[in-house]
Amino acid sequence: MTDPEETDVIVVGAGLAGLVATAELVDAGRRVTIVEQEPAASLGGQAWWSFGGLFLVDSPEQRRLGVRDSLELARQDWFGSAGFDRPEDYWPRRWAEAYLQFAAGEKRSWLRQRGVRFFPVVGWAERGGYTANGHGNSVPRFHITWGTGPGVVAPFAARVQAGVDAGLVTMLHRHRVDALEVTGGRVTGVSGSVLEASGAARGETSSREVKGEFSLRSSAVIVTSGGIGGNHDLVRANWPVRMGQAPTSMLSGVPAHVDGRMLGITQAAGARLVNTDRMWHYTEGVTNFDPVWPRHGIRILPGPSSLWLDATGKRLPVPLFPGFDTLGTLEHIVSTGFDYSWFVLTQKIIEKEFALSGSEQNPDLTGKDLRLLAARIGPGAPGPIEAFKARGVDFIVADTLNELLAGMQRLSGAGESGPSPLNADLVESEIRARDREIDNVFTKDAQITAIRGARNYRGDRLIRVAAPHKLLDPKAGPLIAVKLHVLTRKSLGGIETDLSGRARGVDGTPIDGLYAAGEASGFGGGGMHGYRSLEGTFLGGCIFSGRQAGRAVAAQL
């Protein structure tokens, strides 16, 4: 093991971006010390928990499904979604262009060389529903990793372990960075607290009791500490004014240690934070009946058929259908004065269209289990979906509309915190009006048109989108309602960096010795997504920015 006092590079954070950066440094023969406040059980960070979706452009998987994609179309979608409109978007724009080139170029082959493989059906996330130059993916681009999040993390964790075995890498778990050391304007190391040993399992809250101090010196420091999604106070403090008041109640889509501490520490060392009011939270969160971390929520990955209602029972406006515009839906729900909404659907829809985000919620894909995968494709909902339907506090299952409405009233707070805001008559009216539009193959209902259009894509017809049917058709039942909560997830802004991952100071010049990657840097540049993500771009952003920073530091030393 190398002496951490004599290391070339310190990497702060053992998530995906930190592992990728370290792997690149190991390949270049550099000595690295990884400093991580969590126990070894949490190696890989948030990426381990993910569904493993990766954004690729014009892939063989797309072409086999009849999807015609191109760099030009992807650029149109990305920049139409990002909405870059600030002086601070100079580097994010450049990072977005570089990432698009990567996603349309060597990304897939580079990952395959490291053992990453993909599920053959490409998902269609963030469908948009606006004009050609507006938000959304024009075509399916969400490539699910065979092995989900753990399958993405594994090859980089293995390369880092090989570095440990070769004496190039030192892993310092339970070491919390409290300051970046600056000497003569250059970052020369880190100092902080040694936390007591913890047996906390992956994702569980670990102790913060301090047992000692440490100080390390190096030629460069790469900050890969993640975002703020586990710190609701920080989420609210950065909540964008344009979206009104932050919800009073939110679920957490990430563990509590995703607390944003390192962003403030990096800023104190002179780094510039930009676009901190840009963030990516989901509106389809459900309470986990078997939580790992505090306020643990799981995101439903919905197909397009569920009827989406606000807390009063009013249908959400066009094109805020399931899976079309995450940020637009969040803005609308917050504007209603409530922090939750509703899906109304049928058993036929849940069997075909519901998936749950997270490696632990997809044992077939995560475990590479072909028998379980066959069960997903066959009739019936996947086991984790049925478990939430049976045990989840946000799910109502009913044989009749009256029973469904009564259950929705109960979950809306009637008899607990005052009268329910839900107007049952309005809900019934919305359902019956929608069902009348099914009688013809043509319709004025934009959602039904979108459902029929989606089924023109072979992947959606095969495993993702149910055939249009009436919600009140007994053969499609039982009826299901799901109470949906706002679920914190990603920071889209962060430490401003150039294309080498060098952190930039408040005067716009690079800070010697300081680099950043992953979510801490807004996945590149301080926010390469702009205002909106096209999905499958968070893991990819960690990989690309970690690679850029690792290679740049290796070349500089």
Side-chain angles (χ1 to χ4, degrees):
M1 178 183 294
T2 183
D3 183 348
E5 295 286 347
E6 299 178 357
T7 195
D8 294 323
V9 186
I10 295 168
V11 174
V12 182
L16 179 60
L19 295 177
V20 173
T22 302
E24 291 293 321
L25 289 160
V26 168
D27 287 346
R30 308 305 183 190
R31 298 168 300 168
V32 185
T33 297
I34 299 179
V35 184
E36 167 61 55
Q37 71 175 2
E38 294 307 302
S42 287
L43 184 73
Q46 296 177 62
W48 189 93
W49 293 98
S50 76
F51 196 36
L54 289 168
F55 179 94
L56 297 173
V57 178
D58 192 27
S59 69
E61 289 79 12
Q62 287 174 300
R63 293 194 292 270
R64 281 194 290 268
L65 291 165
V67 175
R68 299 179 181 178
D69 200 6
S70 67
L71 175 60
E72 293 74 19
L73 184 61
R75 183 184 293 114
Q76 173 179 298
D77 290 346
W78 190 290
F79 282 85
S81 300
F84 295 124
D85 60 0
R86 299 172 175 175
E88 295 86 353
D89 287 330
Y90 173 77
W91 286 110
R93 283 177 181 270
R94 295 190 65 184
W95 270 92
E97 180 60 39
Y99 180 70
L100 286 167
Q101 297 281 349
F102 180 57
E106 66 173 312
K107 180 180 179 181
R108 182 180 181 276
S109 61
W110 187 76
L111 288 170
R112 282 183 61 84
Q113 289 169 7
R114 284 149 183 78
V116 176
R117 297 293 183 268
F118 299 102
F119 185 62
V121 179
V122 183
W124 195 352
E126 286 297 297
R127 303 178 188 226
Y130 301 95
T131 60
N133 285 319
H135 169 62
N137 283 297
S138 298
V139 297
R141 298 190 177 105
F142 191 85
H143 295 67
I144 301 168
T145 302
W146 187 231
T148 66
V152 177
V153 170
F156 302 105
R159 189 70 193 96
V160 171
Q161 183 58 50
V164 172
D165 296 340
L168 288 173
V169 177
T170 300
M171 297 286 298
L172 296 180
H173 290 284
R174 303 301 285 157
H175 282 60
R176 183 185 69 196
V177 173
D178 296 326
L180 295 174
E181 299 300 317
V182 182
T183 305
R186 178 182 180 84
V187 172
T188 55
V190 302
S191 61
S193 304
V194 179
L195 305 179
E196 70 174 355
S198 172
R202 182 183 294 276
E204 292 180 351
T205 303
S206 61
S207 167
R208 291 294 178 262
E209 184 173 340
V210 175
K211 290 297 186 180
E213 298 178 345
F214 73 95
S215 179
L216 304 172
R217 294 180 61 83
S218 66
S219 298
V221 175
I222 307 176
V223 176
T224 62
S225 55
I228 67 174
N231 185 340
H232 289 199
D233 290 339
L234 202 52
V235 168
R236 291 190 176 94
N238 287 281
W239 192 264
V241 173
R242 65 184 180 275
M243 292 207 307
Q245 188 172 354
T248 57
S249 175
M250 295 182 285
L251 297 176
S252 287
V254 295
H257 66 253
V258 186
D259 57 13
R261 281 185 75 255
M262 199 63 209
L263 292 175
I265 291 167
T266 307
Q267 186 178 38
R272 184 186 188 202
L273 301 186
V274 295
N275 301 317
T276 57
D277 64 333
R278 292 178 182 168
M279 49 187 72
W280 193 252
H281 306 308
Y282 293 112
T283 52
E284 311 98 329
V286 292
T287 308
N288 192 347
F289 62 83
D290 186 19
V292 177
W293 53 78
R295 297 175 289 195
H296 189 175
I298 298 293
R299 186 201 173 196
I300 294 171
L301 300 173
S305 299
S306 296
L307 190 68
W308 207 335
L309 308 174
D310 68 19
T312 70
K314 184 178 180 181
R315 194 170 175 184
L316 269 58
V318 175
L320 303 184
F321 311 133
F324 276 63
D325 181 359
T326 293
L327 191 65
T329 305
L330 176 61
E331 291 179 5
H332 178 78
I333 289 172
V334 170
S335 75
T336 68
F338 298 93
D339 49 22
Y340 67 91
S341 59
W342 293 96
F343 275 169
V344 175
L345 60 150
T346 64
Q347 179 67 21
K348 185 175 181 179
I349 291 173
I350 203 172
E351 289 182 0
K352 189 89 167 182
E353 298 195 6
F354 268 34
L356 297 172
S357 181
S359 56
E360 82 284 15
Q361 300 297 331
N362 296 275
D364 51 350
L365 294 167
T366 301
K368 305 179 182 179
D369 190 319
L370 295 176
R371 180 184 59 81
L372 279 178
L373 182 62
R376 177 192 291 257
I377 297 173
I385 296 290
E386 288 295 341
F388 265 86
K389 200 179 79 174
R391 301 175 61 189
V393 297
D394 297 312
F395 284 72
I396 301 163
V397 182
D399 292 323
T400 69
L401 179 57
N402 285 339
E403 291 172 338
L404 188 80
L405 294 172
M408 293 174 71
Q409 291 279 22
R410 286 193 301 272
L411 280 190
S412 293
E416 298 177 7
S417 56
S420 167
L422 187 77
N423 183 329
D425 291 337
L426 178 58
V427 175
E428 181 173 358
S429 175
E430 294 281 16
I431 291 173
R432 294 192 183 278
R434 180 261 185 209
D435 278 6
R436 292 187 192 102
E437 296 293 319
I438 299 292
D439 286 335
N440 296 288
V441 294
F442 45 88
T443 176
K444 71 175 183 182
D445 191 304
Q447 183 177 8
I448 295 171
T449 298
I451 294 166
R452 289 172 174 156
R455 285 175 59 84
N456 288 326
Y457 167 49
R458 194 183 314 157
D460 275 351
R461 178 182 285 271
L462 177 65
I463 64 169
R464 193 61 175 143
V465 181
H469 61 276
K470 294 186 176 184
L471 298 177
L472 297 181
D473 181 354
K475 296 190 296 294
L479 287 164
I480 301 166
V482 187
K483 186 178 182 181
L484 306 170
H485 307 269
V486 175
L487 181 74
T488 64
R489 188 59 67 88
K490 296 296 181 185
S491 312
L492 297 188
I495 302 164
E496 185 178 50
T497 61
D498 62 19
L499 285 175
S500 295
R502 294 184 299 175
R504 304 186 72 81
V506 293
D507 62 355
T509 61
I511 299 175
D512 286 347
L514 183 59
Y515 295 73
E519 190 174 354
S521 67
F523 303 95
M528 74 169 187
H529 296 92
Y531 289 95
R532 284 174 163 87
S533 166
L534 289 175
E535 293 287 20
T537 54
F538 300 132
L539 295 180
C542 288
I543 291 168
F544 183 59
S545 61
R547 191 178 87 146
Q548 290 287 97
R551 290 183 175 184
V553 172
Q556 183 67 28
L557 296 179

